[in-house]
mmCIF file of all heavy atoms in Angstrom:
data_model
loop_
_atom_site.group_PDB
_atom_site.id
_atom_site.type_symbol
_atom_site.label_atom_id
_atom_site.label_comp_id
_atom_site.label_asym_id
_atom_site.label_seq_id
_atom_site.Cartn_x
_atom_site.Cartn_y
_atom_site.Cartn_z
ATOM 1 N N ASP A 1 11.027 -41.348 99.447
ATOM 2 C CA ASP A 1 10.790 -40.161 98.558
ATOM 3 C C ASP A 1 9.847 -39.191 99.222
ATOM 4 O O ASP A 1 10.170 -38.001 99.386
ATOM 5 C CB ASP A 1 10.376 -40.555 97.156
ATOM 6 C CG ASP A 1 9.140 -41.520 97.168
ATOM 7 O OD1 ASP A 1 8.483 -41.685 98.195
ATOM 8 O OD2 ASP A 1 8.883 -42.063 96.055
ATOM 9 N N SER A 2 8.637 -39.575 99.607
ATOM 10 C CA SER A 2 7.710 -38.697 100.234
ATOM 11 C C SER A 2 7.482 -39.080 101.738
ATOM 12 O O SER A 2 7.452 -40.291 102.051
ATOM 13 C CB SER A 2 6.317 -38.752 99.539
ATOM 14 O OG SER A 2 6.497 -38.297 98.188
ATOM 15 N N MET A 3 7.301 -38.068 102.539
ATOM 16 C CA MET A 3 6.890 -38.296 103.926
ATOM 17 C C MET A 3 5.792 -37.295 104.285
ATOM 18 O O MET A 3 5.649 -36.247 103.628
ATOM 19 C CB MET A 3 8.027 -38.072 104.899
ATOM 20 C CG MET A 3 9.187 -39.078 104.721
ATOM 21 S SD MET A 3 10.483 -38.973 106.017
ATOM 22 C CE MET A 3 9.626 -39.793 107.369
ATOM 23 N N GLY A 4 5.016 -37.585 105.288
ATOM 24 C CA GLY A 4 3.942 -36.631 105.641
ATOM 25 C C GLY A 4 3.136 -37.097 106.864
ATOM 26 O O GLY A 4 3.539 -37.942 107.595
ATOM 27 N N TRP A 5 1.986 -36.375 106.992
ATOM 28 C CA TRP A 5 1.126 -36.590 108.159
ATOM 29 C C TRP A 5 -0.338 -36.664 107.685
ATOM 30 O O TRP A 5 -0.771 -35.873 106.866
ATOM 31 C CB TRP A 5 1.262 -35.430 109.146
ATOM 32 C CG TRP A 5 2.633 -35.348 109.688
ATOM 33 C CD1 TRP A 5 3.689 -34.624 109.223
ATOM 34 C CD2 TRP A 5 3.118 -35.971 110.883
ATOM 35 N NE1 TRP A 5 4.792 -34.786 110.006
ATOM 36 C CE2 TRP A 5 4.505 -35.608 111.089
ATOM 37 C CE3 TRP A 5 2.499 -36.821 111.877
ATOM 38 C CZ2 TRP A 5 5.228 -36.094 112.175
ATOM 39 C CZ3 TRP A 5 3.239 -37.271 112.895
ATOM 40 C CH2 TRP A 5 4.563 -36.884 113.058
ATOM 41 N N TYR A 6 -1.000 -37.633 108.249
ATOM 42 C CA TYR A 6 -2.459 -37.785 108.111
ATOM 43 C C TYR A 6 -3.048 -37.737 109.527
ATOM 44 O O TYR A 6 -2.326 -37.902 110.493
ATOM 45 C CB TYR A 6 -2.847 -39.086 107.443
ATOM 46 C CG TYR A 6 -2.500 -39.101 105.971
ATOM 47 C CD1 TYR A 6 -1.165 -39.236 105.550
ATOM 48 C CD2 TYR A 6 -3.491 -39.057 104.996
ATOM 49 C CE1 TYR A 6 -0.905 -39.278 104.173
ATOM 50 C CE2 TYR A 6 -3.214 -39.130 103.623
ATOM 51 C CZ TYR A 6 -1.857 -39.243 103.225
ATOM 52 O OH TYR A 6 -1.591 -39.251 101.910
ATOM 53 N N ARG A 7 -4.354 -37.514 109.616
ATOM 54 C CA ARG A 7 -5.032 -37.522 110.910
ATOM 55 C C ARG A 7 -6.402 -38.139 110.768
ATOM 56 O O ARG A 7 -7.024 -38.106 109.739
ATOM 57 C CB ARG A 7 -5.090 -36.112 111.491
ATOM 58 C CG ARG A 7 -6.054 -35.158 110.736
ATOM 59 C CD ARG A 7 -5.879 -33.751 111.326
ATOM 60 N NE ARG A 7 -6.811 -32.818 110.669
ATOM 61 C CZ ARG A 7 -6.791 -31.493 110.878
ATOM 62 N NH1 ARG A 7 -5.941 -30.937 111.725
ATOM 63 N NH2 ARG A 7 -7.643 -30.702 110.240
ATOM 64 N N GLN A 8 -6.865 -38.628 111.899
ATOM 65 C CA GLN A 8 -8.214 -39.200 111.983
ATOM 66 C C GLN A 8 -8.880 -38.784 113.286
ATOM 67 O O GLN A 8 -8.381 -39.086 114.366
ATOM 68 C CB GLN A 8 -8.165 -40.711 111.931
ATOM 69 C CG GLN A 8 -9.520 -41.387 111.773
ATOM 70 C CD GLN A 8 -9.459 -42.832 111.389
ATOM 71 O OE1 GLN A 8 -8.452 -43.476 111.552
ATOM 72 N NE2 GLN A 8 -10.585 -43.346 110.929
ATOM 73 N N ALA A 9 -9.965 -38.055 113.151
ATOM 74 C CA ALA A 9 -10.735 -37.605 114.272
ATOM 75 C C ALA A 9 -11.846 -38.636 114.565
ATOM 76 O O ALA A 9 -12.179 -39.406 113.746
ATOM 77 C CB ALA A 9 -11.376 -36.222 113.976
ATOM 78 N N PRO A 10 -12.381 -38.613 115.832
ATOM 79 C CA PRO A 10 -13.436 -39.568 116.181
ATOM 80 C C PRO A 10 -14.607 -39.499 115.214
ATOM 81 O O PRO A 10 -15.139 -38.363 114.973
ATOM 82 C CB PRO A 10 -13.833 -39.123 117.598
ATOM 83 C CG PRO A 10 -12.616 -38.506 118.155
ATOM 84 C CD PRO A 10 -11.962 -37.786 116.949
ATOM 85 N N GLY A 11 -15.071 -40.591 114.680
ATOM 86 C CA GLY A 11 -16.231 -40.654 113.852
ATOM 87 C C GLY A 11 -15.928 -40.181 112.411
ATOM 88 O O GLY A 11 -16.918 -40.084 111.648
ATOM 89 N N LYS A 12 -14.717 -39.896 112.070
ATOM 90 C CA LYS A 12 -14.392 -39.387 110.711
ATOM 91 C C LYS A 12 -13.332 -40.254 110.068
ATOM 92 O O LYS A 12 -12.600 -41.028 110.737
ATOM 93 C CB LYS A 12 -13.900 -37.942 110.794
ATOM 94 C CG LYS A 12 -14.955 -36.952 111.311
ATOM 95 C CD LYS A 12 -14.427 -35.543 111.212
ATOM 96 C CE LYS A 12 -15.467 -34.550 111.686
ATOM 97 N NZ LYS A 12 -14.972 -33.136 111.600
ATOM 98 N N GLN A 13 -13.190 -40.120 108.757
ATOM 99 C CA GLN A 13 -12.189 -40.885 108.001
ATOM 100 C C GLN A 13 -10.821 -40.183 108.090
ATOM 101 O O GLN A 13 -10.754 -39.011 108.387
ATOM 102 C CB GLN A 13 -12.594 -40.970 106.526
ATOM 103 C CG GLN A 13 -13.870 -41.838 106.304
ATOM 104 C CD GLN A 13 -14.146 -42.033 104.833
ATOM 105 O OE1 GLN A 13 -13.458 -41.461 104.002
ATOM 106 N NE2 GLN A 13 -15.112 -42.839 104.548
ATOM 107 N N ARG A 14 -9.798 -40.991 107.854
ATOM 108 C CA ARG A 14 -8.454 -40.465 107.887
ATOM 109 C C ARG A 14 -8.327 -39.424 106.716
ATOM 110 O O ARG A 14 -8.805 -39.712 105.616
ATOM 111 C CB ARG A 14 -7.455 -41.587 107.682
ATOM 112 C CG ARG A 14 -5.980 -41.127 107.738
ATOM 113 C CD ARG A 14 -5.068 -42.329 107.619
ATOM 114 N NE ARG A 14 -5.270 -42.971 106.296
ATOM 115 C CZ ARG A 14 -4.670 -44.121 105.946
ATOM 116 N NH1 ARG A 14 -3.852 -44.734 106.755
ATOM 117 N NH2 ARG A 14 -4.950 -44.612 104.722
ATOM 118 N N GLU A 15 -7.605 -38.319 106.988
ATOM 119 C CA GLU A 15 -7.474 -37.305 105.965
ATOM 120 C C GLU A 15 -5.988 -36.790 105.930
ATOM 121 O O GLU A 15 -5.335 -36.848 106.949
ATOM 122 C CB GLU A 15 -8.428 -36.089 106.238
ATOM 123 C CG GLU A 15 -8.058 -35.357 107.553
ATOM 124 C CD GLU A 15 -8.926 -34.154 107.742
ATOM 125 O OE1 GLU A 15 -9.762 -33.783 106.870
ATOM 126 O OE2 GLU A 15 -8.865 -33.490 108.853
ATOM 127 N N LEU A 16 -5.598 -36.304 104.769
ATOM 128 C CA LEU A 16 -4.294 -35.784 104.571
ATOM 129 C C LEU A 16 -4.162 -34.458 105.273
ATOM 130 O O LEU A 16 -5.037 -33.625 105.259
ATOM 131 C CB LEU A 16 -4.026 -35.535 103.078
ATOM 132 C CG LEU A 16 -2.796 -34.726 102.732
ATOM 133 C CD1 LEU A 16 -1.524 -35.588 103.040
ATOM 134 C CD2 LEU A 16 -2.803 -34.353 101.270
ATOM 135 N N VAL A 17 -3.048 -34.293 106.024
ATOM 136 C CA VAL A 17 -2.710 -33.013 106.646
ATOM 137 C C VAL A 17 -1.645 -32.288 105.814
ATOM 138 O O VAL A 17 -1.799 -31.149 105.420
ATOM 139 C CB VAL A 17 -2.229 -33.191 108.084
ATOM 140 C CG1 VAL A 17 -1.808 -31.854 108.707
ATOM 141 C CG2 VAL A 17 -3.280 -33.874 108.921
ATOM 142 N N ALA A 18 -0.499 -32.904 105.581
ATOM 143 C CA ALA A 18 0.603 -32.327 104.850
ATOM 144 C C ALA A 18 1.523 -33.405 104.307
ATOM 145 O O ALA A 18 1.720 -34.478 104.969
ATOM 146 C CB ALA A 18 1.387 -31.381 105.750
ATOM 147 N N LEU A 19 2.157 -33.167 103.154
ATOM 148 C CA LEU A 19 3.138 -33.965 102.588
ATOM 149 C C LEU A 19 4.373 -33.187 102.187
ATOM 150 O O LEU A 19 4.238 -32.002 101.819
ATOM 151 C CB LEU A 19 2.618 -34.699 101.321
ATOM 152 C CG LEU A 19 1.537 -35.760 101.518
ATOM 153 C CD1 LEU A 19 1.014 -36.200 100.136
ATOM 154 C CD2 LEU A 19 2.063 -36.954 102.303
ATOM 155 N N ILE A 20 5.545 -33.849 102.138
ATOM 156 C CA ILE A 20 6.760 -33.195 101.728
ATOM 157 C C ILE A 20 7.597 -34.201 100.931
ATOM 158 O O ILE A 20 7.751 -35.325 101.357
ATOM 159 C CB ILE A 20 7.583 -32.596 102.938
ATOM 160 C CG1 ILE A 20 8.723 -31.761 102.432
ATOM 161 C CG2 ILE A 20 7.927 -33.632 103.935
ATOM 162 C CD1 ILE A 20 9.391 -30.936 103.517
ATOM 163 N N SER A 21 8.126 -33.728 99.821
ATOM 164 C CA SER A 21 9.000 -34.574 98.999
ATOM 165 C C SER A 21 10.398 -34.491 99.456
ATOM 166 O O SER A 21 10.812 -33.672 100.323
ATOM 167 C CB SER A 21 8.904 -34.176 97.515
ATOM 168 O OG SER A 21 9.525 -32.904 97.311
ATOM 169 N N THR A 22 11.270 -35.346 98.921
ATOM 170 C CA THR A 22 12.707 -35.338 99.238
ATOM 171 C C THR A 22 13.306 -33.948 98.894
ATOM 172 O O THR A 22 14.146 -33.455 99.649
ATOM 173 C CB THR A 22 13.436 -36.445 98.478
ATOM 174 O OG1 THR A 22 12.916 -37.701 98.839
ATOM 175 C CG2 THR A 22 14.939 -36.414 98.840
ATOM 176 N N GLY A 23 12.855 -33.360 97.806
ATOM 177 C CA GLY A 23 13.322 -32.062 97.386
ATOM 178 C C GLY A 23 12.731 -30.916 98.114
ATOM 179 O O GLY A 23 13.128 -29.760 97.872
ATOM 180 N N GLY A 24 11.758 -31.159 99.030
ATOM 181 C CA GLY A 24 11.202 -30.066 99.864
ATOM 182 C C GLY A 24 9.907 -29.492 99.369
ATOM 183 O O GLY A 24 9.430 -28.522 99.984
ATOM 184 N N ARG A 25 9.289 -30.024 98.246
ATOM 185 C CA ARG A 25 8.029 -29.488 97.858
ATOM 186 C C ARG A 25 6.943 -29.984 98.822
ATOM 187 O O ARG A 25 6.993 -31.143 99.235
ATOM 188 C CB ARG A 25 7.695 -29.952 96.434
ATOM 189 C CG ARG A 25 8.679 -29.378 95.391
ATOM 190 C CD ARG A 25 8.274 -29.658 94.016
ATOM 191 N NE ARG A 25 9.148 -29.071 93.072
ATOM 192 C CZ ARG A 25 8.967 -29.023 91.759
ATOM 193 N NH1 ARG A 25 7.930 -29.619 91.218
ATOM 194 N NH2 ARG A 25 9.869 -28.441 90.954
ATOM 195 N N THR A 26 5.925 -29.119 99.083
ATOM 196 C CA THR A 26 4.940 -29.488 100.136
ATOM 197 C C THR A 26 3.515 -29.300 99.575
ATOM 198 O O THR A 26 3.285 -28.583 98.638
ATOM 199 C CB THR A 26 5.099 -28.575 101.319
ATOM 200 O OG1 THR A 26 4.959 -27.181 100.938
ATOM 201 C CG2 THR A 26 6.515 -28.732 101.988
ATOM 202 N N ASN A 27 2.650 -30.050 100.243
ATOM 203 C CA ASN A 27 1.217 -29.941 100.010
ATOM 204 C C ASN A 27 0.542 -29.885 101.376
ATOM 205 O O ASN A 27 0.908 -30.698 102.267
ATOM 206 C CB ASN A 27 0.652 -31.086 99.199
ATOM 207 C CG ASN A 27 1.089 -31.065 97.739
ATOM 208 O OD1 ASN A 27 0.992 -30.025 97.078
ATOM 209 N ND2 ASN A 27 1.626 -32.186 97.267
ATOM 210 N N PHE A 28 -0.526 -29.049 101.485
ATOM 211 C CA PHE A 28 -1.237 -28.947 102.750
ATOM 212 C C PHE A 28 -2.713 -29.023 102.514
ATOM 213 O O PHE A 28 -3.246 -28.605 101.459
ATOM 214 C CB PHE A 28 -0.951 -27.601 103.430
ATOM 215 C CG PHE A 28 0.427 -27.414 103.933
ATOM 216 C CD1 PHE A 28 1.356 -26.789 103.127
ATOM 217 C CD2 PHE A 28 0.791 -27.857 105.165
ATOM 218 C CE1 PHE A 28 2.670 -26.632 103.549
ATOM 219 C CE2 PHE A 28 2.104 -27.689 105.621
ATOM 220 C CZ PHE A 28 3.022 -27.109 104.856
ATOM 221 N N ALA A 29 -3.443 -29.603 103.513
ATOM 222 C CA ALA A 29 -4.875 -29.513 103.484
ATOM 223 C C ALA A 29 -5.298 -28.103 103.642
ATOM 224 O O ALA A 29 -4.649 -27.259 104.355
ATOM 225 C CB ALA A 29 -5.483 -30.336 104.615
ATOM 226 N N ASP A 30 -6.376 -27.663 103.009
ATOM 227 C CA ASP A 30 -6.839 -26.301 103.143
ATOM 228 C C ASP A 30 -7.124 -25.877 104.592
ATOM 229 O O ASP A 30 -6.914 -24.720 104.910
ATOM 230 C CB ASP A 30 -8.144 -26.120 102.298
ATOM 231 C CG ASP A 30 -7.913 -26.144 100.763
ATOM 232 O OD1 ASP A 30 -6.742 -25.895 100.362
ATOM 233 O OD2 ASP A 30 -8.858 -26.371 100.059
ATOM 234 N N SER A 31 -7.562 -26.828 105.390
ATOM 235 C CA SER A 31 -7.931 -26.480 106.724
ATOM 236 C C SER A 31 -6.725 -26.122 107.641
ATOM 237 O O SER A 31 -6.932 -25.540 108.721
ATOM 238 C CB SER A 31 -8.643 -27.682 107.365
ATOM 239 O OG SER A 31 -7.847 -28.830 107.394
ATOM 240 N N VAL A 32 -5.521 -26.409 107.192
ATOM 241 C CA VAL A 32 -4.313 -26.140 107.975
ATOM 242 C C VAL A 32 -3.395 -25.138 107.331
ATOM 243 O O VAL A 32 -2.356 -24.762 107.985
ATOM 244 C CB VAL A 32 -3.566 -27.428 108.355
ATOM 245 C CG1 VAL A 32 -4.465 -28.399 109.036
ATOM 246 C CG2 VAL A 32 -2.899 -28.003 107.159
ATOM 247 N N LYS A 33 -3.669 -24.704 106.125
ATOM 248 C CA LYS A 33 -2.800 -23.783 105.453
ATOM 249 C C LYS A 33 -2.641 -22.457 106.270
ATOM 250 O O LYS A 33 -3.669 -21.958 106.739
ATOM 251 C CB LYS A 33 -3.305 -23.466 104.049
ATOM 252 C CG LYS A 33 -3.136 -24.562 103.059
ATOM 253 C CD LYS A 33 -3.669 -24.173 101.650
ATOM 254 C CE LYS A 33 -3.444 -25.290 100.665
ATOM 255 N NZ LYS A 33 -3.966 -24.971 99.340
ATOM 256 N N GLY A 34 -1.462 -22.021 106.349
ATOM 257 C CA GLY A 34 -1.170 -20.796 107.188
ATOM 258 C C GLY A 34 -0.958 -21.028 108.640
ATOM 259 O O GLY A 34 -0.531 -20.103 109.346
ATOM 260 N N ARG A 35 -1.268 -22.226 109.099
ATOM 261 C CA ARG A 35 -1.125 -22.567 110.524
ATOM 262 C C ARG A 35 -0.067 -23.657 110.800
ATOM 263 O O ARG A 35 0.628 -23.610 111.778
ATOM 264 C CB ARG A 35 -2.438 -23.003 111.117
ATOM 265 C CG ARG A 35 -3.551 -21.963 111.045
ATOM 266 C CD ARG A 35 -4.741 -22.419 111.863
ATOM 267 N NE ARG A 35 -5.355 -23.630 111.314
ATOM 268 C CZ ARG A 35 -5.524 -24.762 112.002
ATOM 269 N NH1 ARG A 35 -5.127 -24.795 113.274
ATOM 270 N NH2 ARG A 35 -6.121 -25.799 111.441
ATOM 271 N N PHE A 36 0.022 -24.604 109.848
ATOM 272 C CA PHE A 36 0.936 -25.748 110.067
ATOM 273 C C PHE A 36 2.108 -25.628 109.021
ATOM 274 O O PHE A 36 1.976 -25.107 107.924
ATOM 275 C CB PHE A 36 0.223 -27.074 109.738
ATOM 276 C CG PHE A 36 -0.753 -27.496 110.756
ATOM 277 C CD1 PHE A 36 -1.217 -26.649 111.755
ATOM 278 C CD2 PHE A 36 -1.300 -28.764 110.737
ATOM 279 C CE1 PHE A 36 -2.096 -27.036 112.720
ATOM 280 C CE2 PHE A 36 -2.239 -29.121 111.641
ATOM 281 C CZ PHE A 36 -2.659 -28.300 112.623
ATOM 282 N N THR A 37 3.291 -26.137 109.464
ATOM 283 C CA THR A 37 4.456 -26.172 108.634
ATOM 284 C C THR A 37 5.032 -27.577 108.659
ATOM 285 O O THR A 37 5.162 -28.092 109.734
ATOM 286 C CB THR A 37 5.466 -25.140 109.074
ATOM 287 O OG1 THR A 37 4.953 -23.818 109.018
ATOM 288 C CG2 THR A 37 6.724 -25.221 108.140
ATOM 289 N N ILE A 38 5.393 -28.102 107.513
ATOM 290 C CA ILE A 38 6.052 -29.412 107.491
ATOM 291 C C ILE A 38 7.518 -29.255 106.996
ATOM 292 O O ILE A 38 7.796 -28.433 106.112
ATOM 293 C CB ILE A 38 5.259 -30.397 106.556
ATOM 294 C CG1 ILE A 38 5.803 -31.843 106.675
ATOM 295 C CG2 ILE A 38 5.274 -29.934 105.094
ATOM 296 C CD1 ILE A 38 4.979 -32.871 106.024
ATOM 297 N N SER A 39 8.395 -30.049 107.541
ATOM 298 C CA SER A 39 9.796 -30.009 107.137
ATOM 299 C C SER A 39 10.409 -31.422 107.382
ATOM 300 O O SER A 39 9.780 -32.282 107.949
ATOM 301 C CB SER A 39 10.601 -28.998 107.980
ATOM 302 O OG SER A 39 10.561 -29.261 109.321
ATOM 303 N N ARG A 40 11.582 -31.643 106.856
ATOM 304 C CA ARG A 40 12.208 -32.953 106.973
ATOM 305 C C ARG A 40 13.731 -32.832 106.990
ATOM 306 O O ARG A 40 14.306 -31.857 106.479
ATOM 307 C CB ARG A 40 11.748 -33.877 105.878
ATOM 308 C CG ARG A 40 12.232 -33.484 104.457
ATOM 309 C CD ARG A 40 11.589 -34.404 103.391
ATOM 310 N NE ARG A 40 12.135 -35.758 103.422
ATOM 311 C CZ ARG A 40 11.660 -36.750 102.680
ATOM 312 N NH1 ARG A 40 10.601 -36.562 101.921
ATOM 313 N NH2 ARG A 40 12.192 -37.986 102.788
ATOM 314 N N ASP A 41 14.335 -33.837 107.549
ATOM 315 C CA ASP A 41 15.788 -34.023 107.539
ATOM 316 C C ASP A 41 16.048 -35.356 106.815
ATOM 317 O O ASP A 41 15.888 -36.410 107.370
ATOM 318 C CB ASP A 41 16.301 -34.108 108.986
ATOM 319 C CG ASP A 41 17.837 -34.172 108.978
ATOM 320 O OD1 ASP A 41 18.482 -34.641 108.092
ATOM 321 O OD2 ASP A 41 18.413 -33.684 110.064
ATOM 322 N N ASN A 42 16.478 -35.238 105.611
ATOM 323 C CA ASN A 42 16.635 -36.439 104.732
ATOM 324 C C ASN A 42 17.686 -37.413 105.303
ATOM 325 O O ASN A 42 17.564 -38.617 105.236
ATOM 326 C CB ASN A 42 16.966 -36.062 103.343
ATOM 327 C CG ASN A 42 15.861 -35.393 102.583
ATOM 328 O OD1 ASN A 42 14.692 -35.620 102.915
ATOM 329 N ND2 ASN A 42 16.141 -34.591 101.583
ATOM 330 N N ALA A 43 18.805 -36.813 105.815
ATOM 331 C CA ALA A 43 19.855 -37.628 106.372
ATOM 332 C C ALA A 43 19.369 -38.492 107.565
ATOM 333 O O ALA A 43 19.962 -39.542 107.810
ATOM 334 C CB ALA A 43 21.017 -36.756 106.761
ATOM 335 N N LYS A 44 18.369 -37.992 108.304
ATOM 336 C CA LYS A 44 17.890 -38.709 109.438
ATOM 337 C C LYS A 44 16.556 -39.442 109.148
ATOM 338 O O LYS A 44 15.987 -40.062 110.079
ATOM 339 C CB LYS A 44 17.686 -37.752 110.612
ATOM 340 C CG LYS A 44 18.964 -37.053 111.101
ATOM 341 C CD LYS A 44 18.657 -36.100 112.260
ATOM 342 C CE LYS A 44 19.896 -35.510 112.790
ATOM 343 N NZ LYS A 44 19.640 -34.562 113.893
ATOM 344 N N ASN A 45 16.056 -39.380 107.957
ATOM 345 C CA ASN A 45 14.773 -39.946 107.625
ATOM 346 C C ASN A 45 13.683 -39.513 108.609
ATOM 347 O O ASN A 45 12.905 -40.347 109.061
ATOM 348 C CB ASN A 45 14.833 -41.486 107.544
ATOM 349 C CG ASN A 45 15.643 -41.961 106.335
ATOM 350 O OD1 ASN A 45 15.464 -41.430 105.254
ATOM 351 N ND2 ASN A 45 16.471 -42.986 106.562
ATOM 352 N N THR A 46 13.637 -38.240 108.909
ATOM 353 C CA THR A 46 12.785 -37.671 109.907
ATOM 354 C C THR A 46 11.957 -36.554 109.295
ATOM 355 O O THR A 46 12.477 -35.728 108.516
ATOM 356 C CB THR A 46 13.559 -37.155 111.070
ATOM 357 O OG1 THR A 46 14.307 -38.257 111.676
ATOM 358 C CG2 THR A 46 12.628 -36.593 112.145
#
């Protein structure tokens, strides 16, 4: 149903970067809004 990306920098906790639902709804961390784009291919689970 949902896929996305998290990241972990040295000395820091893992944080959300972006999520996308099967229907294409997205959420972004404030730090990456306007710079990052998330997309998916449901048929390829990618």
